[in-house]
Amino acid sequence: MASSMDISYRQGIRSKGFAITTPTGTTQQTLSLSGLAKSFEGILITSAFTATPGVVINPKQLRMTLTINNDVCVDDDSVLHYASPATGGFSGGFPFFIPIPRRLTGQDTIQIRFTNPAASQNVDVTIWYRNEL
């Protein structure tokens, strides 16, 4: 019989972060999760800033497409819709993310594509997932 601590750990939500540099143009990156991941819970963009100091950017220009197993979950949308507020304050509690629930198999292809018409930017992406449904 499993203890309640074991059950809580297995069912708990997890996160994985990715630091992505998006040069001018289109950048695509595969986001790899644990083979035990069974449920994609959501995403959060925690920063979008210029890779070149002193260059001013307009974060509204950065666009994102998120695809999970050939299912386009986010299609060419502004990154600002999936970002934390500039002040860093959250009103949604913890963990805070934009929910995009999808079942996973453990052998999933998760890809994120950024379209950037401006100067090179650094983007921090956090994925939230569960190991059990």
Side-chain angles (χ1 to χ4, degrees):
M1 179 171 186
S3 72
S4 62
M5 187 76 134
D6 290 339
I7 293 170
S8 174
Y9 175 77
R10 285 194 317 263
Q11 293 176 351
I13 194 163
R14 292 169 170 69
S15 66
K16 184 168 181 183
F18 301 88
I20 302 169
T21 299
T22 61
T24 302
T26 301
T27 304
Q28 184 164 314
Q29 180 164 334
T30 299
L31 307 177
S32 300
L33 298 179
S34 162
L36 299 174
K38 298 298 180 204
S39 175
F40 185 98
E41 297 294 321
I43 189 170
L44 182 67
I45 308 296
T46 52
S47 63
F49 55 91
T50 181
T52 308
V55 175
V56 178
I57 63 167
N58 179 356
K60 292 179 185 177
Q61 293 178 329
L62 189 60
R63 317 262 328 150
M64 174 180 84
T65 298
L66 176 68
T67 306
I68 301 174
N69 296 328
N70 295 320
D71 176 18
V72 178
C73 306
V74 176
D75 191 8
D76 195 36
D77 200 359
S78 173
V79 166
L80 283 183
H81 296 147
Y82 306 90
S84 62
T87 60
F90 298 126
S91 60
F94 181 83
F96 179 82
F97 55 84
I98 306 302
I100 306 174
R102 296 289 187 278
R103 284 187 182 248
L104 300 175
T105 65
Q107 298 178 348
D108 304 280
T109 302
I110 303 170
Q111 294 185 328
I112 193 163
R113 184 178 74 229
F114 293 102
T115 304
N116 181 14
S120 181
Q121 298 181 46
N122 296 325
V123 179
D124 292 332
V125 176
T126 304
I127 299 296
W128 298 87
Y129 68 98
R130 293 182 191 272
N131 282 351
E132 288 192 6
L133 297 175

